[in-house]
Structure formats: C-alpha cells, structure tokens
Amino acid sequence: MWVSVGVIVAVLLVTLFLKYVFGTSGPSPFDTDTREPPRPVELDKKQRNKVLKQGFLASRVPQDLDAIVIGSGIGGLSIAVLLSKVGKKVLVLEQHDRAGGCCHTFSEKGFEFDVGIHYVGNLEENGVFRCTVDQLTNGQLQWEPLENPFEQVVLGPPENRRVYPIHSGRNRFPQELKKRFPGEEKAIDEFMRLVKKCGDSVWIMPLLKLLPSPVAKFLAYTGLANCLSNFISYGPRSLAEVVNSLTENKELRAVLCYIFGTYGNPPKEASFSMHSLLMSHYLPGAWYPKGGASQIAYNMIPIIEKAGGAVLVRASVNRILLNAANEAIGVSVMKGQEEVHVHAPIVISDAGIFNTYQQLLPKEVQNSAAIQKQLSMLKHGEAGLSIFLGLNGTKDELGLKASNYWVFCENNLDELVNDYMSGEREKSLKSIPLLFIASPSAKDPTWEQRSPGKSTLSVVSFTPYSWFEEWKDEKVKNRGADYKELKASIINSVLEVVTEFFPKIKNRIEYMDAGTPISNQHYLAASKGEIYGADHGVSRFTAEVCATIRAQTPIKNLFLTGQDLIACGFAGAIAGAMVCGSTVLKRSLHMDIRALRKKLKHANTKKVQ
C-alpha cells in the first residue's frame, strides 16, 4: 500500500512542480547572462561611500514603486536585484548609515573591519552558487581563495594545545582526517556519507516553501517529507547524537563538530542537517571578496538603480502600512520626529521574522493565530560578540595567514558552552571557551594597496544577550564606565589567547574594541543581538517548520526574505531571497539559474573545443 501511496504522491509533486515552473509566462532574472567584463576593484572608500551611503530623503524616493524592501542585508539586496532584473522598480530602506547589513564594513583610525563576512564557501567556477552570485553582481564581485588548509581547529589549554588542520576538497578533507585519527576511518567515511546524504536532499526545504501550502503541510504532517528527504529526516536529530553514534573518540567528535560556531548551536542542540549544509558548503573550498565585504553591496546597488530603484540609508522603518483589509500597502519611515509614508504594492522584509512580526505590525495583527503559530516555532539565536584589532605592520611582518583558527578550551564542546553560558558574567567572560580568530587583511589581496603597513585581526564568539541588556537604552559610544570596563576585560582575556597564536602582534596594536550584543542591536537591528537570526537548533529543521515559515506571510502583499527563511550566512540569505523571488514572480528561480548555468557550461565547453 505504501508503495502505491508513494507513487501517487510523487506523481502529484511532479505535476504541481512542473505547473509551478512552466506555468508562468513572465520574465526570469536569469533569462540571459548579465555578466560583464570585471572592472578594477574600487579601492577608493569615498567613491564606494557615494553608492553605499545615500541618505534617505522623501525627494529621493522613486515614483511608482513596484516593491519596497526593508533592510539592505544580502537577503534584501538579493531580492531587490532579482526583481530589478525583470524590470521592477524597487526601493531598499536601511536603518544604518551604510548599506550592506552584515556585509558592511566600518573604519576606525585607518583600519577597515568586516562585520560578518569572514569567508564564503561553494564558490568554485561553474558551480550553481557561483553562477547565482555572479548574476546578482553582473560578474563584478571578485573572489580570492583562502589558503589550504583554510582552518585550524585548536583543542585544549595553552599547556596542551592540539592543532588539527582542516583542508578543503571532498576527498582531501577526509583523507587528512584519517591521517590524524588512525583507526577511525570507518567513522570518518560514515560521517562524510551522512553529510552528503543530507546535503544532497536539501532541495526539499525550498520546495516545501514553494508548493501550495496545503500540499506542503500534507507532506509534512503525514511524514512523507521525511521519507522523501534525508535532510528532513535528520533535521530533528542533534549533531551530538549522530556524531557520538559514529565514534567514541572525543577528540574526533570535537573536530567533526567544530564548525557549529558558524551558526551558533552547540552539538547537543544543533541540527545535524544544518551542520551538513555548512560542511558541504566549505568542502569545495573557502573564498573572500577582493576589496573587502563592502564590495558586495557596492556591486549590487547599481543594478537596482539602473532599473529605476534606489537604496537609501538612515531610513528607519517604524511600521508597515496596512489598508482596511490588513493588506500591506507600504511603510512608514521616521525622518526626525516625522513619519514619511512610502507606498508600493509589495513589501518585502529582510529585517528578520521577529522584527517584522513583533515590531513592524500593529498589535492586533501580530496577535493573529497564523503569525503567533510561526513565532512559536522559532526562537532567537545566540547573541554575537566581536573583538576588532588594528595592527601596525604587514601580514608578513606579523605572521598573519589567510586562514582561520577555531580555538576551544577542550574537546568537550557541549560542556564548555553550557558552563560558559550559565556561569557568572564576569567570570565567564574572563575565559571564553570558544574563539574564532581570522585576519581579514591577510585574506584580501588588495589590502596592501588600501592600507599599506597596516593589518587587522577579528575575533568572534557568543554571549548571552542578558549580560549586556542593562545598557541597551544608553547612548552608543557613551554607555558608561562600567560597560567600558567590562569590554576592556573581554578584550584583555581574548588578547591572551590571540597573542599565543600571533606573538608578533604584541606591542603592535594601534586599535582595539569590542562589539557586544547591544552593538549588534544598534548597528544591525538585531532584536536580541543575534548575528545569525533565528535559532538553528533541531526544532527549526522539521518538515512542519519548513512548510510553515514561508516567503508569503499571513499578511497579503507582505513577504519575508533572508536568513530566517532558509538558513544563516551569506549563502543562506541568498537562498532565502531565491525562495522569496520565486514566490513573488511565481516561477522557480532555482530551475532558472540551473538552466542558465547549464547553458553557460555548454558554451564554455564549445569554446574549449
């Protein structure tokens, strides 16, 4: 009987999907290859700022808008570019003083720091993701590969450090692990097999968000989605559960789990499927944008402007405008003490699901059953903590490398994180058990031209938002002596670890500061200081959640884009924009980009011949 049910469901899915993909006649943003010969990377900060820092004025708002996007993170800019490429006039509104969201940069004392782009995977030539990024930037965003090994996993206290290089390459990664863990070949092979199984079946997540809601919910609630996809069946299983079933070696367990820091959940809480996505993402290698992260927004905004749209900053959206039928018709922007109303038939939010539902909608609307159901399915991710170091000296003089360090106090990762997060604030922050250390300046081949004789280091970790909440309403850069003292103690404790790995930076530090959860709240509009949006734990990747959290919100004409729709990070936010674009344009952009990639690959093959 179940075989018959499976056949019927498969036929139904194919029929619906084909109707969705081929049943529309509108243009696609991927109809043609829009890449142009790459221009020289713009290194002049003033020239970049002319594009990135266009302040909001009512007179700068284009007339007859087709859509408004709230937030200029990569999810917001991507959906704006997708709509612009089919002739839509789009206005992107950003509350910060520069565009880019987590892709923006800031400068202090001659040093430029990235906020959220530390490295990006899956950018190999002729890949689907590379093709997507190239089309979103018309081929102008250039990438530099990191070293190989691109990461070092460090376990243990200073007197007993164990270092494990992480190599890219689908074959080399497991091969190098086997050299370091003889006798664990079977466990490593099985881990790689499961990662591939989950990664290869991630297609069902966007499909559940694009199929008609009743069909998606039928697949979810009957359990058929679990049968169709390993990504869904492993979604509710924790990373620790799966890895611990493969090996008793605690050291290997930690190395297989190390990258949980890129989404924020320790192994006992992390979804194995989410972890598989990240592992698959970096297996082909890691890259960094030439010219720094600001090049991302800099090369996307002109595409929006060419279609008649605009990207305006210092434009704080305080509410979404609704008509009498509770349909979205525009937004209200605060300009000083006055509201400026901007209207459009479509409103798309890249502000995150919590901000969108809880801050931008009227109470009676956000209290509706449909919205409350979605909010009940998600929770806030962990708050981010960043330390920025500006150094006097070149990368060679300081011994900096184009690779990353993941430093853990020991190999019992869950216990480390739990003790830290549940401990006393001052004590915990003096010994942070998880640190990600990277040198943006060492990764960027244009850095020496932009900042000769200078270098940077960035350190990232996590912290409870509650530890900093008492200062959230105080003025930025003037939050009081106790706040500054706490930041200073964090920096000093982190420096002890950083200088162990980079001893040459001692006495070469010209600038240092820490960004706390309330810094993220101010600059990124992160409601609880989170840097990865909604939590990525086991509950998020069930079939029910995937089918319920969709681009189309319960409010007509209001859509979601970005990392809360699919997953966190640069690639996750773009994936969210692709789902949003597919929903708005009523066609599968995933099929469109694959068709374009196939065409380009065929053309390249003919050229070689």
Side-chain angles (χ1 to χ4, degrees):
M1 183 185 81
W2 284 111
V3 174
S4 300
V5 171
V7 171
I8 293 170
V9 170
V11 171
L12 177 63
L13 278 175
V14 171
T15 303
L16 284 169
F17 193 54
L18 290 176
K19 180 181 177 182
Y20 184 82
V21 174
F22 300 111
T24 56
S25 58
S28 164
F30 303 122
D31 276 342
T32 59
D33 178 15
T34 59
R35 291 176 303 167
E36 300 170 355
R39 297 180 290 275
V41 176
E42 181 55 73
L43 304 181
D44 189 323
K45 186 168 65 176
K46 290 182 178 179
Q47 292 301 317
R48 295 201 306 272
N49 285 345
K50 288 179 181 179
V51 174
L52 300 171
K53 291 188 172 186
Q54 300 177 71
F56 176 86
L57 293 172
S59 59
R60 290 180 176 171
V61 174
Q63 298 297 307
D64 302 319
L65 289 169
D66 294 300
I68 296 169
V69 177
I70 305 169
S72 69
I74 188 63
L77 290 176
S78 293
I79 185 60
V81 168
L82 292 171
L83 295 180
S84 298
K85 282 178 173 283
V86 296
K88 304 292 185 183
K89 194 184 294 185
V90 185
L91 172 66
V92 181
L93 298 170
E94 169 59 49
Q95 58 92 31
H96 192 20
D97 67 1
R98 66 204 69 187
C102 284
C103 297
H104 86 262
T105 61
F106 71 94
S107 297
E108 292 287 351
K109 294 188 177 181
F111 298 97
E112 183 176 285
F113 296 98
D114 290 350
V115 173
I117 295 293
H118 303 295
Y119 58 142
V120 178
N122 226 19
L123 284 168
E124 67 273 25
E125 292 289 343
N126 300 317
V128 174
F129 183 57
R130 178 60 177 267
C131 185
T132 305
V133 174
D134 284 349
Q135 296 304 312
L136 289 173
T137 60
N138 285 355
Q140 297 308 303
L141 187 57
Q142 301 173 46
W143 299 91
E144 182 73 10
L146 270 61
E147 298 177 359
N148 200 9
F150 68 99
E151 307 206 273
Q152 309 279 345
V153 177
V154 183
L155 304 176
E159 64 274 12
N160 184 29
R161 296 287 199 207
R162 289 95 65 195
V163 181
Y164 299 94
I166 303 298
H167 292 79
S168 60
R170 298 186 186 279
N171 293 321
R172 190 174 181 187
F173 171 74
Q175 287 171 357
E176 296 292 338
L177 275 185
K178 290 174 184 178
K179 291 178 184 177
R180 301 303 298 267
F181 294 98
E184 295 289 344
E185 293 83 1
K186 184 178 178 181
I188 293 168
D189 285 341
E190 181 62 8
F191 176 80
M192 296 302 297
R193 187 185 73 84
L194 293 176
V195 163
K196 187 175 188 305
K197 278 177 60 175
C198 289
D200 286 351
S201 61
V202 70
W203 55 267
I204 198 167
M205 182 159 56
L207 182 61
L208 286 171
K209 298 176 185 298
L210 293 174
L211 286 171
S213 184
V215 177
K217 289 181 178 179
F218 172 77
L219 292 174
Y221 289 106
T222 59
L224 287 171
N226 289 43
C227 298
L228 292 167
S229 167
N230 289 299
F231 181 87
I232 294 297
S233 63
Y234 274 84
R237 296 186 63 183
S238 77
L239 172 62
E241 175 194 349
V242 175
V243 170
N244 291 358
S245 71
L246 301 178
T247 177
E248 295 293 326
N249 188 314
K250 292 183 178 179
E251 200 87 343
L252 177 58
R253 287 176 176 179
V255 174
L256 294 179
C257 293
Y258 86 93
I259 207 169
F260 77 83
T262 57
Y263 52 89
N265 297 89
K268 281 186 179 179
E269 301 173 9
S271 163
F272 182 77
S273 291
M274 178 63 205
H275 195 77
S276 296
L277 277 188
L278 264 296
M279 293 299 299
S280 299
H281 183 66
Y282 288 112
L283 278 176
W287 288 260
Y288 187 81
K290 292 183 180 180
S294 65
Q295 296 292 333
I296 297 169
Y298 177 77
N299 284 297
M300 297 177 80
I301 292 173
I303 302 172
I304 300 165
E305 293 175 334
K306 186 178 180 181
V311 178
L312 303 179
V313 303
R314 298 191 298 277
S316 181
V317 173
N318 67 311
R319 61 192 178 102
I320 294 168
L321 301 176
L322 306 177
N323 62 16
N326 281 337
E327 300 168 339
I329 57 171
V331 300
S332 169
V333 179
M334 292 303 297
K335 185 64 176 174
Q337 299 300 313
E338 296 185 0
E339 285 187 318
V340 178
H341 289 187
V342 185
H343 294 91
I346 291 174
V347 177
I348 301 170
S349 180
D350 188 38
I353 193 168
F354 293 108
N355 280 336
T356 303
Y357 287 167
Q358 296 178 328
Q359 303 297 326
L360 301 180
L361 293 175
K363 287 289 183 185
E364 62 273 15
V365 175
Q366 58 180 271
N367 287 335
S368 69
I371 286 178
Q372 287 303 308
K373 180 177 181 181
Q374 290 192 22
L375 289 173
S376 71
M377 289 180 157
L378 302 173
K379 60 181 181 178
H380 294 276
E382 290 295 349
L385 179 68
S386 303
I387 292 86
F388 305 100
L389 302 176
L391 310 169
N392 176 22
T394 66
K395 64 179 182 180
D396 293 329
E397 292 169 344
L398 300 174
L400 305 178
K401 300 291 185 181
S403 58
N404 309 314
Y405 284 78
W406 290 89
V407 184
F408 301 91
C409 293
E410 247 320 330
N411 61 23
N412 54 333
L413 305 185
D414 282 301
E415 186 179 337
L416 285 178
V417 174
N418 180 68
D419 290 349
Y420 166 68
M421 290 291 191
S422 61
E424 182 186 347
R425 180 180 68 188
E426 280 71 15
K427 182 179 179 182
S428 287
L429 288 173
K430 286 181 180 178
S431 182
I432 302 173
L434 155 62
L435 295 175
F436 170 84
I437 307 171
S439 174
S441 60
K443 298 173 184 176
D444 181 8
T446 74
W447 179 267
E448 274 298 312
Q449 295 172 258
R450 294 191 288 137
S451 302
K454 294 180 180 293
S455 297
T456 60
L457 274 171
S458 295
V459 184
V460 180
S461 191
F462 298 94
T463 179
Y465 172 75
S466 60
W467 287 355
F468 298 86
E469 191 172 11
E470 65 187 90
W471 295 288
K472 69 181 177 64
D473 296 323
E474 296 184 14
K475 192 173 181 180
V476 177
K477 297 185 182 294
N478 190 25
R479 297 189 192 270
D482 48 354
Y483 178 72
K484 292 179 181 177
E485 288 174 9
L486 183 60
K487 290 211 303 181
S489 69
I490 294 169
I491 293 170
N492 289 335
S493 66
V494 167
L495 279 178
E496 290 183 19
V497 179
V498 174
T499 52
E500 178 190 341
F501 295 98
F502 304 104
K504 293 180 180 179
I505 74 169
K506 291 180 179 179
N507 304 317
R508 307 292 290 272
I509 301 173
E510 291 187 3
Y511 171 84
M512 55 185 178
D513 200 1
T516 70
I518 54 176
S519 307
N520 300 333
Q521 195 174 47
H522 176 78
Y523 293 111
L524 301 175
S527 52
K528 295 293 183 182
E530 59 269 48
I531 51 178
Y532 297 136
D535 184 76
H536 286 70
V538 291
S539 62
R540 178 164 174 181
F541 296 98
T542 64
E544 293 82 2
V545 173
C546 292
T548 303
I549 309 297
R550 303 164 71 87
Q552 173 64 69
T553 72
I555 306 300
K556 189 176 180 181
N557 304 330
L558 175 62
F559 299 85
L560 297 175
T561 186
Q563 60 183 2
D564 282 357
L565 194 53
I566 295 289
C568 65
F570 182 80
I574 290 178
M578 290 286 282
V579 168
C580 182
S582 297
T583 304
V584 172
L585 297 175
K586 295 182 172 59
R587 61 179 306 126
S588 174
L589 300 188
H590 304 84
M591 297 293 288
D592 291 343
I593 192 64
R594 288 180 179 277
L596 176 60
R597 174 201 173 229
K598 185 176 180 180
K599 183 168 68 174
L600 295 177
K601 193 174 181 180
H602 179 69
N604 289 336
T605 302
K606 289 183 69 175
K607 283 182 182 178
V608 172
Q609 292 174 346

